[in-house]
Each structure stands twice: as structure tokens, then as C-alpha cells.
Amino acid sequence: MAHVVEEEELESIRRYEDFTTIDWIQDSILERNRRLRDDREIATSLRGAHGEITQQWVWAQLLRLSSAGQSWFVVSLAGICIGLNAALIAILTEWLSDLKMGYCSDGWWLNQEFCCWEIETDGEGACAAWKPWTKYTAGMWFIYTTIASLFAYTAAHLVRSFAPYAAGSGISEIKCIISGFVMKGYLGLGTLVIKSLTLPLVIASGLSVGKEGPSVHVACCIGNVVARLFPRFARSQGKMREIITAASAAGVGVAFGSPIGGVLFSIEEMSNAFSIKTMWRSFFCALVATVTLSAMNPYRTGKLVLFQVTYDRDWHFFEIIFFVIIGLFGGLYGVFVTRFNLQVAAFRRKHLTAYPITEAVTLAGLTAVFGYFNRFLRIDMTESLYILFKECEGGGDYESLCQSAAQWPMVNSLLLATVFRFGFVILSYGSKVPAGIFVPSMAIGATFGRMVGIIVKAMYRSHPTSGIFAACDPDVPCITPGTYALLGAAAALSGVMRITVCVVVIMFELTGALTYILPTMIVLLVTKSVGDWFDAEGIADEMIKFNGFPYLTKNEHAFDIPVSRVMRTELQTLPATGLQLPAVVDRINSTAVKGFPIVTPDDQRTLLGYIGRTELNYVLQKANRGRHVHSDTRCTFIPDPSSAAPMADGLVPHLTDPDVIHGMDEDDPLEMSVSTAMDDVLDFGPWVNQTPITVAPQLPLEVVIQLFRQLGPRVILVEQHGALVGLITVKDVLRFIAAAEHASSSDQNADTVGVLQGVLEEAWLWTSECLESVQRCLIAPVNCPVCNGQVLEKNINGHIDSSCRYYLVAAGPAEMSGSSKGKASRTAGKPSKEVPLAPIFSQVKPKRPAPPSSPEIKDEIEISDSEAPPQASTSKSDSLSSRPPPFKKPRTVLSNIQAAAPLAERMRPQSLDDVIGHEHITGRDSLLRSLMSGGGTGSLILVSTPPTYPPA
């Protein structure tokens, strides 16, 4: 029991104090020690006095058997929950999407498909139970736009108020979490609930974002929440990583109805180190989730996803030419979307951080305003994919899509849909709502591919006897435009995510057509070649770099330099002996490093081990509570083998086990660290890792990068002939790679501000100027004679007219006494001695906080499951508390004032609204409290006529 308590306490410290990357080697050793300890207890401690089998031993064997199957139970439970959640999200999304167009009179909870389930014919008025909101186009357009904006507002407000981590796709962050980056709260219960609720709202709002990427995030949240119910997984980061990886595979599986594609996605995209055991668990989790979704049957058609189709025709070799064109489009799409979206992200970070709700509502409103009049933009993207994928002979003639007479208008409509959605995907992806890019990219590729298919079909109809179409059978349709849409969707998805194999499998599972595997492979090969030509990376990896997460990509680098060029040489070390307790505490408090190499106290600096900051804090806290340590207590960091035997008697027999690696087990009791009272020594030896990973300074940097990728250590120490010379972390490697890339781009004279970002900056500046002009028009001069030119003293007897907007000017105390006007008349005509005229209240005008600069590679994110990131409060009290202090005394005053009215015409003070923090003045007392509470030697003049500022 004592072991369990100490383990939970150290785990608590690790969870809430040590927010860094996980040391996978240490985690593996801890898990190994736990397993050895459990096996030893089951084999020996529960037997009888002479080794006979007892009832307790039988019960322990049953517990061991259940523990062996616990992993599969957790994976199964997570898969069931993922399938149920995906079905509910799909049902709610369909209903909300149809709600923009009308409602079902038979039941408000039915979407259009279920409302008209027995109606086989399509067309307006065919289903009497479905009622559109209005029969007028203008009214329908207004209602459609309003409901879409309302959905976006609700989603953005919920995300900002309750779970900011629910915004975005989540794939970039999950890749970092699986690699070992700790982001507390990102996979918590609050994020799961809010993202599950807001995802249907965002998709129904019509924003050019998808739900497939966020579905992966939701699935990983479910896996994390379920696994943390079991202590065996909650205390092991390695086992948690296996569950989260399996959950990501299940998320893709239910999103595309492709369990095998989900497993390949988790291998190809999500995880750097993928074991066979993890692959089997991922496959099982994806299988259980997909079976659960199939049992729920959310579409009542037996399909797992709405755009699942089948093909029964073959393709012709002459079509490879057009397949190559689609592949070129997919590669170029991925390159330009990634680059332009990063520029939009930089603009968003600089200007729109404080306006996430406004941004989401604006994008949704613009998308609805312009997309309503296009037949392929007005409907949901998944429905659009289903329409574009279908064969014409299988009921796919949506609004004359297959009619020869309407083929060229249809081409124009598809082209407009491609261009429009291309632009809005760039602007929308990354906004502060749940936003994926899988299905939007597929929709763009599908519209382009269908357009190409219609053009090729028109060419065949115009020239059926041409030699290029000689392979076509005249009795069978030669060209199937729906397959071009399918290949275009695959090309766009592969281009933006830079994945290939899993896309082929996903498309095969969507269509069940083995004959189109080869065309899909050809298209994706061309797409990947175009991306490689531009040296492009997937948008998820680019967003990891943009956000500064410590993540090593799978790209191979050739630097041709030793590790000594990158390692840190200024180290914070601890000598093995010779330190007293205050010196150790001071070393911890004066540094921010996550661990300390242990070296010999002599000049040789021979490396003896490594101890983490968390372990140091843990031992010190326990020693302060349970032992009589004082300022003269000596500290040692080398375990004494001779002292282990007597202290182990009756305390921890497993410490003498040669199979257990000491210095790595959080179950080592504190009694091992405090010797007898006569010794007065605090021994940190049991917590020192005596076998850290070390390399020579001559080792190539590429090998060190492989060590970080494959083994996952937090730090690698560099020693030469046993002496410590440096250390290197993932952050050091990433800094070096970023510096090398920056130097390379500087050599090529790359512009730091992209074209799109420059356009957005100009638009932002123009919009700001327009808003300022409108604001000046709104505060036009008003006839308010009360208080015009009146001096504000603390004993003022006048009153404030709350219906007027007033302005303030300042004056010196001698000139603006009770007889200020008389003095002004006596000094009229004389030259006035004044300081330069300038806005005197600029120093108290509320300033918007400066936008955050591009972050460096992050070490940590210190947010617990129960805490959300700090957000700007929207309440009145919170907003006022963040404003500048009340006005006390203006820095700039006039030393000689002639009259109040001329002064008002010559100065340009700020509006009273601005001075007191955008709050209207409702009475004289509140004005005096706000502006005169600090006293001072100056006086204030209140005028109702907006003062003018003469040209310089």
C-alpha cells in the first residue's frame, strides 16, 4: 500500500509540474520494473510458508489473466464509444444541415431524407411533408444565411467559453502527443463534449471545413478518457500512447467507413514508431468502431458514410492522360493551399486573436451569401461528394448534371465551385472552431475531377470515331465522369496531407472497385511528384512548425556535421558529493532545466548519471515532511551498495534484485534515501539514472536524430572518454533545423511576407480606416450647451447630459481658476506661451495588446484537465479590470490659456468614451470618480463641441 501511495504522489508531480516531452526510455524501464515486481509478488509472496499454492495465489493468477486481457477490453470499449459518437454526430449534422432549407411537418426532428423516405421522385414539391421556410428566393437566401451565421456563432462561442482546445483539426497536436509532447487538457472530457456538440454546428453552418479531421481528435479524446479509468494505463505513458494511436485509427475508420485505411493512416501519418502490437490494437479498435457505426446505421441505407458509391465499369488506357492532369492539379492544390493557409494563419495570429467569434461568423456569413447561388456549394459537402461520385446511369442526374444540353453550364458551375471553395478553405481552415481539411479538399478535387470528366465525355460525343477513343465500345458508355471526381478527391486529399498508401486503401474501401486501384495509384504518384518538386510538406507538419511544437518529422536530413556543433556546452550539473541541502534547493530554484547530469566533484567531470527535476522535488518534499533535515544535511547522488543490504531488510526486498534497474523506479521508498540519524545524509542515489544514453561528440547529427525518433529519450548526454562535454535535446535539433532552413531561404531571397498575407494586411488596414471614418461620423457635433467650456473641479455643481458626447481638454491650475474667463479676456491679444499641441489623453487610451510573435519551439503547455487556457472575458467587470487605471493627471498641459472655446478648437483630445474605457457617462458623480479621484495640479475642461486639430 505504501508503494501505491508513493507511486501516485510521484505521478501527480510528474503530471502537474513536469510539463515536457515524455522520456520514453524512462517510461519503458518503469513499466518493466512494475511487471517484474508484480510477477515476483505473484510467484512468491502469495504462496504458503513452504511454497504451496494458496487461495490468494489462485486469485492473483486470475487477476493476472484479467490484466493480460485488459488492453483488449479498453480498446473494445473505446471502439464502441467512438462508433456511437460518430453515429450521433452524423445524424445531428444531417438534421442541422437540412434545417437551413426548411423543416418536416411530420416531425421537427426529421431531416429531409427521413421526412421524405417513401418519396422516390426528386424535385420541388414532390414531398408534401417537407416545408421550405419560404417560397421566395430572396427570403430563402436571407434565412439560409442567418441560420448559417447563427450556427457558426454558437459553435465559436461554446469553443471560446468552455473548451478552447476544441478548435481546429487536432491532427497536428495529436501527432505531437503521440510522439511524447504533454498537452494537458487537450484530450480531456471537456474538450470531448464541446467538440462533439460544436462539430455538427460548424458543418451545418456551411463553413469550408470538414468533420473528418476533428473526428480523429474526438476519437483520441474518447480513447484517453476511457483508458484513464484504468490505473494500469493512467500511470504508463507508453500504454496511453498505444491507446491514443489505436483511437486515431478508429477515428479515420468511422469518418470514411474504412477500418483498414484508418490503420494505415495511423501508421503513415500519426506515429513515428509503430509496433506490431500497436498495429493489431489499432486494427481491432477500428474494426469495433466501424461495426458499431454499421449497427447504428445512421443513414438507414446500410452505408457507413454518405458518399460511399460503387463502380461496375472499367477504364481505358487513353484516360491516363487525363488522370495525369488530375494528379497535377492535386499536387498544385496541396502546395498552394498549404502555403497560403500559413500566411492566413500568420495574419490571424497578428490581428484576429481577440476576435475568434467575429471571424467565424463573418466567414460563415460570406460562405452562405455567395455559396447559396451555386448548386454544389449550397448543399452539404458530403452530399456533394455523393452526387459527384455517382454514375449517371445510377440515378446521379442531379439538377441536369448528366444532361448533354446542360454540360457547359454545368462545367462553369463546377469551375466556380472549385475556385470559390479553394479560396474559402484557405481562409477557414485554422479558425477557432472545429475545422478539418479532409472533406473540403476532397470536395474541391471532386468538382475539378467531375469537370474534367464532363469535358472528356463531351470530346467523345463530339468525335466518337477519333483514334484516341478507338478502345471504346459504342454500346457501352465510354466515359464515367464520376470516377474522375473520385480520382480528383483522392488527388486533393493526398496533395494537402502528403499521404499516399492510406488514400489508395480508403478510396478502395469507399468504392469497392478493384479496377480503379491502378488509376488511383497513378494519380497519387503524380501528386506526390509535384509536391516533392516544390519540396512541400503536409499541412499538419507545417502547422506543427508554425505553432512551434517539439516534433521531429519523418523527413531525412543530411547535415554532414557532428553532434558537437549543435550540443549545449553550458550545463547545469550536480556533483556527486560535497553539496548541502540549501545548495541543492538553490540550484533547483535558480534554473529552469528539466534535469541535472551527475558528475564527479573533481575537475575531470566524469559522468556518473542523470537525475530529473521531478525526482529531486519529490525527494525533497518527502524529506521535509517525514524527516528531520536541516541546513547542514549533506546530499549525495551516488548509491552506496554496502548500505543497501541492511536498509533493505524488512523494507524493500526487491531493491536487491539484480533484474530491477535502480534509480528509475518511483516505487523506491524514501527510507532508501535517508540514512541513519548519525550519518545525517540525504541520499538521492536510488533516483539517479545510472545508465543515460550517451554519445561521442564526433557522432553525426543524423544518427542522433534517429535516436530521438526511434528511442524517444528526453535528453542525450555527450561524453568524451567518460567526461561530460555537453548534452542535446529535441529542441536543440529543431532550432538547428529551423536556422538552417531560414538561412537557405535567406540565400534564395525569399520574402518573409507572402502575397496573400500582404493582401490581407492591406485589406485589414483599409477596413480599419473605414471603421474609424464611420466612428467619426457617428460622433458628429451635437448641440449640448450644458457644460460647454466648463471647468471640472472636484466641487463642480453642474450636471452631465447623458444624451451628449463630451470631450476633455486640460489646463494648468493657475490659468483655470474661478476667474479663468476674466483672466483670459485680460490676456487676450498677448502671445501665449504653450507647449506643443498634441493629444493629451493618448497615454490613457485603452490599447489593444500586442499580437504574439511567432513562438519558438515549445517545451511545455501547462494546462491541466480541469483548467482551460486563459481567455479574454466578455463580462463587463472583467473587461473593465483589464483597462488602464483611472485618469489622474495629464502629462501635457497648457501654461497659458486664452479661452475655453479657442482651446477646444485648437486641440485634439480623445473622446470621453475612450478615456474611461468605452463606458458612457451617466452622471456627474461617476465622471468625477473616474477622472478626478487622483487629484493633481491640472484641471479639466468639458466641452460638447468636438474639437478640431489644425494642420501641422
Side-chain angles (χ1 to χ4, degrees):
M1 182 63 66
H3 293 172
V4 176
V5 173
E6 291 175 1
E7 180 178 344
E8 293 178 351
E9 190 168 351
L10 182 55
E11 182 64 26
S12 175
I13 295 176
R14 283 192 176 130
R15 181 175 302 172
Y16 296 108
E17 289 187 3
D18 194 18
F19 296 94
T20 61
T21 54
I22 298 169
D23 193 324
W24 293 115
I25 295 179
Q26 181 184 12
D27 188 77
S28 300
I29 295 177
L30 291 175
E31 185 62 28
R32 175 182 179 272
N33 287 352
R34 294 189 192 106
R35 179 175 54 82
L36 291 175
R37 184 181 65 248
D38 294 341
D39 291 344
R40 182 175 49 255
E41 290 178 353
I42 292 175
T44 60
S45 62
L46 298 178
R47 287 180 178 265
H50 302 287
E52 67 272 12
I53 297 177
T54 62
Q55 183 179 359
Q56 291 82 0
W57 184 86
V58 174
W59 178 250
Q61 296 298 324
L62 293 177
L63 291 178
R64 182 180 181 183
L65 182 62
S66 65
S67 177
Q70 192 177 81
S71 299
W72 297 101
F73 175 75
V74 171
V75 167
S76 302
L77 183 59
I80 293 173
C81 295
I82 291 170
L84 292 174
N85 184 267
L88 294 176
I89 288 177
I91 294 171
L92 187 57
T93 301
E94 288 298 310
W95 177 69
L96 291 175
S97 298
D98 291 340
L99 194 63
K100 295 185 296 184
M101 305 299 296
Y103 64 97
C104 183
S105 58
D106 292 342
W108 59 267
W109 59 88
L110 297 175
N111 61 25
Q112 186 174 6
E113 183 179 0
F114 287 171
C115 184
C116 306
W117 186 257
E118 299 178 353
I119 308 298
E120 297 182 357
T121 58
D122 296 331
E124 187 176 355
C127 179
W130 181 257
K131 304 293 184 182
W133 294 113
T134 179
K135 297 181 180 179
Y136 300 101
T137 303
M140 197 67 197
W141 170 78
F142 176 78
I143 294 175
Y144 179 91
T145 304
T146 303
I147 295 178
S149 302
L150 181 62
F151 286 165
Y153 172 82
T154 305
H157 182 71
L158 289 174
V159 168
R160 186 185 185 190
S161 301
F162 300 103
Y165 276 158
S169 171
I171 290 182
S172 302
E173 290 80 1
I174 292 172
K175 290 180 67 173
C176 297
I177 291 173
I178 291 177
S179 70
F181 187 39
V182 179
M183 299 177 67
K184 293 299 177 183
Y186 197 83
L187 300 178
L189 181 61
T191 303
L192 168 63
V193 172
I194 296 300
K195 195 151 193 171
S196 299
L197 290 176
T198 56
L199 187 54
L201 290 170
V202 172
I203 303 303
S205 70
L207 277 170
S208 295
V209 295
K211 66 178 181 179
E212 279 63 27
S215 295
V216 177
H217 185 191
V218 170
C220 292
C221 290
I222 293 175
N224 177 73
V225 171
V226 170
R228 289 203 176 275
L229 298 176
F230 300 85
R232 181 185 174 194
F233 292 89
R235 67 185 183 183
S236 175
Q237 296 293 344
K239 292 185 178 298
M240 286 299 301
R241 178 171 67 169
E242 292 178 0
I243 297 299
I244 293 174
T245 304
S248 68
V252 176
V254 297
F256 292 102
S258 173
I260 300 177
V263 174
L264 292 177
F265 177 83
S266 61
I267 295 175
E268 186 176 359
E269 178 69 10
M270 302 301 294
S271 180
N272 275 335
F274 204 93
S275 63
I276 298 298
K277 180 177 65 175
T278 305
M279 184 186 71
W280 277 112
R281 288 176 179 171
S282 300
F283 174 74
F284 189 74
C285 187
L287 178 63
V288 172
T290 307
V291 170
T292 305
L293 179 63
S294 179
M296 291 289 293
N297 195 13
Y299 303 108
R300 296 296 184 267
T301 59
K303 297 179 179 179
L304 297 178
V305 291
L306 187 60
F307 48 87
Q308 190 172 358
V309 295
T310 56
Y311 296 116
D312 55 5
R313 294 200 194 102
D314 205 346
W315 56 281
H316 306 89
F317 277 97
F318 72 85
E319 293 181 278
I320 292 180
I321 302 174
F322 306 104
F323 296 162
V324 170
I325 294 176
I326 294 176
L328 291 173
F329 169 80
L332 293 175
Y333 166 81
V335 170
F336 287 112
V337 164
T338 301
R339 293 186 179 180
F340 287 154
N341 184 259
L342 288 176
Q343 296 175 23
V344 173
F347 173 81
R348 179 180 291 114
R349 173 179 289 173
K350 183 177 180 181
H351 296 291
L352 302 179
T353 305
Y355 312 106
I357 300 177
T358 304
E359 179 193 6
V361 173
T362 301
L363 288 173
L366 291 176
T367 305
V369 165
F370 296 104
Y372 179 80
F373 300 100
N374 187 285
R375 67 196 82 189
F376 299 107
L377 297 175
R378 184 170 56 247
I379 58 178
D380 183 65
M381 279 183 288
T382 55
E383 184 180 355
S384 173
L385 286 174
Y386 176 66
I387 292 170
L388 294 172
F389 285 174
K390 285 188 66 175
E391 295 179 349
C392 289
E393 289 74 16
D397 191 12
Y398 170 77
E399 292 194 8
S400 304
L401 179 62
C402 299
Q403 300 298 322
S404 301
Q407 61 185 6
W408 297 117
M410 196 61 62
V411 167
N412 293 334
S413 181
L414 289 169
L415 179 61
L416 288 175
T418 302
V419 175
F420 179 88
R421 185 155 278 153
F422 176 83
F424 271 87
V425 163
I426 292 173
L427 296 175
S428 302
Y429 181 71
S431 56
K432 299 306 179 183
V433 292
I437 202 170
F438 284 10
V439 165
S441 297
M442 293 177 66
I444 292 172
T447 53
F448 179 83
R450 186 76 185 214
M451 180 184 67
V452 173
I454 292 176
I455 293 175
V456 175
K457 188 174 183 179
M459 292 170 57
Y460 170 70
R461 286 178 174 175
S462 300
H463 308 282
T465 59
S466 176
I468 193 174
F469 303 114
C472 294
D473 188 350
D475 298 330
V476 178
C478 181
I479 306 298
T480 306
T483 60
Y484 287 77
L486 176 75
L487 296 176
L493 177 59
S494 175
V496 76
M497 293 298 298
R498 300 288 290 158
I499 50 180
T500 52
V501 179
C502 69
V503 175
V504 175
V505 176
I506 287 173
M507 292 302 166
F508 163 67
E509 291 186 278
L510 279 176
T511 61
L514 284 170
T515 55
Y516 281 93
I517 288 183
L518 183 58
T520 306
M521 295 174 65
I522 293 173
V523 168
L524 297 189
L525 178 62
V526 176
T527 299
K528 186 178 185 305
S529 301
V530 173
D532 293 341
W533 177 269
F534 286 94
D535 195 22
E537 295 188 19
I539 194 168
D541 292 334
E542 292 290 352
M543 292 306 297
I544 288 175
K545 291 182 180 179
F546 180 81
N547 292 319
F549 296 143
Y551 178 80
L552 285 172
T553 61
K554 299 179 182 179
N555 296 339
E556 298 292 337
H557 298 278
F559 300 109
D560 195 24
I561 62 170
V563 68
S564 58
R565 295 272 301 275
V566 184
M567 68 181 185
R568 304 183 191 181
T569 56
E570 297 181 1
L571 307 179
Q572 298 290 339
T573 61
L574 291 174
T577 58
L579 286 182
Q580 292 183 337
L581 185 61
V584 175
V585 174
D586 181 68
R587 187 72 57 88
I588 295 174
N589 295 333
S590 61
T591 61
V593 296
K594 302 303 178 183
F596 299 87
I598 307 300
V599 297
T600 55
D602 53 21
D603 295 336
Q604 298 296 327
R605 290 170 58 87
T606 302
L607 180 64
L608 300 177
Y610 183 86
I611 187 169
R613 186 186 192 93
T614 303
E615 285 73 20
L616 282 172
N617 287 327
Y618 170 71
V619 176
L620 290 174
Q621 290 178 12
K622 294 284 288 186
N624 287 331
R625 288 202 305 263
R627 294 290 176 174
H628 300 287
V629 293
H630 47 80
S631 59
D632 295 331
T633 301
R634 291 180 291 118
C635 300
T636 64
F637 295 89
I638 299 299
D640 185 4
S642 63
S643 64
M647 281 190 294
D649 186 20
L651 291 176
V652 274
H654 74 274
L655 286 179
T656 59
D657 193 334
D659 293 333
V660 177
I661 300 177
H662 305 298
M664 299 296 291
D665 198 346
E666 71 269 30
D667 295 327
D668 295 345
L670 188 68
E671 284 81 354
M672 284 299 300
S673 41
V674 180
S675 301
T676 62
M678 292 188 304
D679 295 336
D680 201 16
V681 174
L682 182 61
D683 186 9
F684 291 88
W687 282 269
V688 174
N689 179 10
Q690 302 177 48
T691 58
I693 293 184
T694 60
V695 297
Q698 299 82 15
L699 190 70
L701 181 61
E702 295 83 355
V703 179
V704 175
I705 293 176
Q706 289 298 325
L707 289 176
F708 277 121
R709 285 202 191 107
Q710 301 300 327
L711 300 180
R714 180 180 298 166
V715 60
I716 294 178
L717 303 177
V718 184
E719 63 174 352
Q720 188 170 21
H721 306 299
L724 179 68
V725 294
L727 64 81
I728 186 170
T729 64
V730 174
K731 186 175 180 180
D732 298 322
V733 175
L734 292 174
R735 279 202 191 101
F736 177 79
I737 294 175
E741 292 178 351
H742 180 73
S744 175
S745 62
S746 299
D747 294 340
Q748 299 174 5
N749 295 323
D751 191 3
T752 56
V753 179
V755 176
L756 181 58
Q757 185 178 355
V759 172
L760 293 175
E761 292 284 355
E762 291 294 331
W764 177 265
L765 181 61
W766 178 80
T767 304
S768 300
E769 293 177 350
C770 291
L771 291 177
E772 290 179 0
S773 300
V774 171
Q775 185 179 8
R776 285 195 295 269
C777 294
L778 292 177
I779 57 174
V782 181
N783 260 338
C784 295
V786 180
C787 296
N788 193 23
Q790 181 175 352
V791 179
L792 287 183
E793 300 286 359
K794 288 188 177 180
N795 57 352
I796 184 174
N797 294 319
H799 67 278
I800 306 299
D801 190 346
S802 60
S803 63
C804 299
R805 189 179 298 271
Y806 295 102
Y807 295 84
L808 295 173
V809 294
E815 289 79 10
M816 296 307 297
S817 58
S819 58
S820 59
K821 291 187 179 180
K823 182 174 181 180
S825 62
R826 289 193 300 271
T827 59
K830 297 182 181 180
S832 60
K833 186 177 182 180
E834 302 175 356
V835 297
L837 300 177
I840 62 175
F841 295 108
S842 59
Q843 70 270 22
V844 295
K845 184 178 181 180
K847 296 181 179 179
R848 185 177 304 164
S853 57
S854 298
E856 297 180 355
I857 305 300
K858 293 177 182 160
D859 274 327
E860 57 192 46
I861 292 184
E862 302 190 8
I863 298 172
S864 65
D865 290 335
S866 61
E867 295 174 348
Q871 294 293 313
S873 175
T874 57
S875 65
K876 180 177 178 181
S877 59
D878 291 341
S879 62
L880 286 177
S881 64
S882 61
R883 290 171 180 156
F887 180 83
K888 299 267 177 108
K889 176 185 176 183
R891 296 180 182 177
T892 307
V893 296
L894 302 183
S895 59
N896 187 10
I897 298 179
Q898 298 179 3
L903 176 66
E905 295 175 357
R906 300 179 62 186
M907 295 201 63
R908 188 189 177 189
Q910 301 296 325
S911 167
L912 191 63
D913 253 7
D914 291 331
V915 173
I916 67 170
H918 303 285
E919 294 294 326
H920 292 290
I921 293 301
T922 57
R924 171 175 56 86
D925 295 335
S926 61
L927 174 67
L928 294 180
R929 282 196 302 269
S930 299
L931 301 181
M932 302 294 289
S933 59
T937 58
S939 299
L940 301 174
I941 299 177
L942 184 64
V943 295
S944 60
T945 304
T948 58
Y949 190 65

